[in-house]
Amino acid sequence: MKIYNDYSLAAHNTFGIDERCKRFIDIECEQDAIDVCSMIDPDERLLIVGQGSNLLLGGFFDGTVLHSAITGCHSVAIGNEVMLRCGSGECWDDVVAFAVDNGWFGMENMSLIPGDVGASAVQNIGAYGAEAKDVISQIEAVELATGKKVTINNHECDYGYRNSRFKGEWKNRFFITHVTYQLSVEYAPRLDYGNIRAELMRRNIDYPLPLQLRQVIIDIRNAKLPDPKVLGNAGSFFMNPVVERPVFEALQSRYPDMPYYEIDDDHVKIPAGWMIEQCGWKGRDLGNAGVYDKQALVLVNRGGATGKDVINLAHAVINDVKEKFGIEIHPEVNVVC
């Protein structure tokens, strides 16, 4: 365990916002997570971070930040399935690469999503028709109020679109130490979401091998999303809204070319990036923060932006989308003020 006071969080958020916290604790093993429980005042502010790829800091954090540095991956084969147990501090994409290289499938469509293993369980990360909930089996954690080790099964997490109980009623209740993923040795690629199939056709690939599919996903993401090391960002800033069918049909009558994704008989998902672009925000700046010119779903730090700069931009975008479409879009990013 490592403890720092008055610590800069610039290296722990991909927006590159140089805000500080009162205390920062690096947790390197499960025992550290248990020991830290006695060091936390129940009344102090608490923030649990990984790589900070889903975090926007709006100012000085007057409390304790807990960071997972728990690493390691171990696998157990059970018939046609593999249970892959990973430390919460492992880089998510490293785990995806490790799985694909070993012939374990289910994660490949989520290649290159930034963040760590712990965040995958909290956020229910997803891309191109796949979500973390599809492969998460169980989660090991320490209850911070008691220091008790717990094991939480997938169905207990109440997973939804970019959501879980860890973001709601369980927020700051548990420190996740390990996540176990249930993968398959049978390869069944999902190719019909987004522009995967179009990109495969462009490369004259009818049925991609696992490594080919992973590379296609990586290339598509790199073409649309900026590298945080070059241009600070947190990936997709907003969630795609899911609306009831009558709302969708009314909008479709006004915008026949509007893209959409069927959810079920009663609900349809509308791309927030498309709505933001229709409002004229794509490529525009507000102070030192801006909307990325290749993907309107992404807000970026043009250089020297504060968290408040990004928050002001987000509010302006939300207001314009609401005024034009009657739909309120919500941040996917965790905004901490």
Side-chain angles (χ1 to χ4, degrees):
M1 183 189 307
K2 297 175 182 176
I3 303 173
Y4 307 90
N5 295 316
D6 189 24
Y7 185 80
S8 172
L9 296 171
H12 295 281
N13 74 98
T14 55
F15 264 112
I17 304 295
D18 190 13
E19 293 290 356
R20 307 183 76 83
C21 65
K22 184 177 179 180
R23 181 172 61 165
F24 183 93
I25 302 178
D26 219 15
I27 294 174
E28 300 173 303
C29 63
E30 185 179 70
Q31 188 59 49
D32 282 355
I34 295 171
D35 293 342
V36 82
C37 297
S38 62
M39 302 168 56
I40 299 173
D41 186 329
D43 296 324
E44 75 176 311
R45 295 186 71 195
L46 186 66
L47 178 64
I48 300 172
V49 303
Q51 295 182 15
S53 59
N54 198 52
L55 177 66
L56 175 59
L57 299 167
F60 176 77
F61 186 76
D62 188 18
T64 293
V65 175
L66 302 181
H67 172 257
S68 176
I70 301 173
T71 58
C73 292
H74 304 279
S75 63
V76 176
I78 306 174
N80 289 333
E81 295 178 339
V82 172
M83 309 303 289
L84 182 62
R85 179 177 180 264
C86 302
S88 56
E90 283 285 347
C91 171
W92 166 260
D93 192 56
D94 288 349
V95 172
V96 177
F98 180 66
V100 173
D101 286 346
N102 281 278
W104 308 328
F105 307 117
M107 294 178 162
E108 51 273 13
N109 282 38
M110 294 181 279
S111 293
L112 208 64
I113 293 179
D116 59 19
V117 160
S120 76
V122 173
Q123 181 72 6
N124 186 26
I125 61 173
Y128 299 104
E131 293 181 295
K133 69 176 180 62
D134 302 333
V135 293
I136 289 174
S137 173
Q138 65 180 26
I139 295 153
E140 297 166 59
V142 172
E143 187 175 39
L144 292 171
T146 65
K148 179 183 176 182
K149 293 192 294 183
V150 298
T151 299
I152 303 168
N153 293 320
N154 180 307
H155 70 271
E156 298 176 85
C157 299
D158 195 21
Y159 281 123
Y161 174 59
R162 304 298 178 270
N163 203 11
S164 74
R165 293 176 77 181
F166 294 108
K167 294 181 69 175
E169 61 185 289
W170 288 351
K171 187 173 183 179
N172 292 338
R173 178 178 172 183
F174 300 106
F175 184 89
I176 295 173
T177 59
H178 297 85
V179 179
T180 298
Y181 303 100
Q182 184 174 338
L183 307 176
S184 176
V185 297
E186 297 179 354
Y187 177 54
R190 285 170 282 191
L191 308 177
D192 293 319
Y193 200 96
N195 55 342
I196 296 176
R197 216 173 264 284
E199 182 61 22
L200 290 171
M201 290 178 62
R202 191 184 71 81
R203 302 183 187 202
N204 295 316
I205 299 173
D206 293 326
Y207 188 84
L209 298 173
L211 285 173
Q212 289 178 314
L213 177 56
R214 172 168 158 77
Q215 191 59 53
V216 164
I217 297 290
I218 289 172
D219 291 345
I220 291 173
R221 290 186 65 89
N222 279 333
K224 291 170 43 177
L225 302 174
D227 183 346
K229 296 176 184 177
V230 178
L231 195 61
N233 72 94
S236 298
F237 192 90
F238 298 102
M239 294 184 286
N240 293 317
V242 176
V243 301
E244 295 184 351
R245 190 164 294 276
V247 175
F248 161 72
E249 291 174 349
L251 283 173
Q252 191 181 43
S253 67
R254 291 167 52 196
Y255 305 99
D257 297 330
M258 178 178 66
Y260 63 92
Y261 303 102
E262 297 279 355
I263 301 298
D264 54 39
D265 290 343
D266 299 318
H267 299 90
V268 179
K269 184 188 294 184
I270 300 174
W274 178 84
M275 291 191 289
I276 295 168
E277 185 172 352
Q278 299 307 302
C279 292
W281 274 105
K282 189 175 183 180
R284 280 178 57 192
D285 296 340
L286 188 64
N288 290 327
V291 178
Y292 190 47
D293 57 3
K294 294 182 180 179
Q295 171 53 270
L297 206 57
V298 178
L299 304 188
V300 298
N301 178 357
R302 296 291 187 193
T306 64
K308 288 183 171 59
D309 290 335
V310 181
I311 291 170
N312 290 338
L313 172 62
H315 286 162
V317 170
I318 290 169
N319 290 338
D320 282 1
V321 169
K322 177 73 171 179
E323 182 176 344
K324 186 175 182 69
F325 295 98
I327 296 176
E328 185 168 351
I329 57 176
H330 298 277
E332 179 178 326
V333 170
N334 181 23
V335 180
V336 178
C337 297

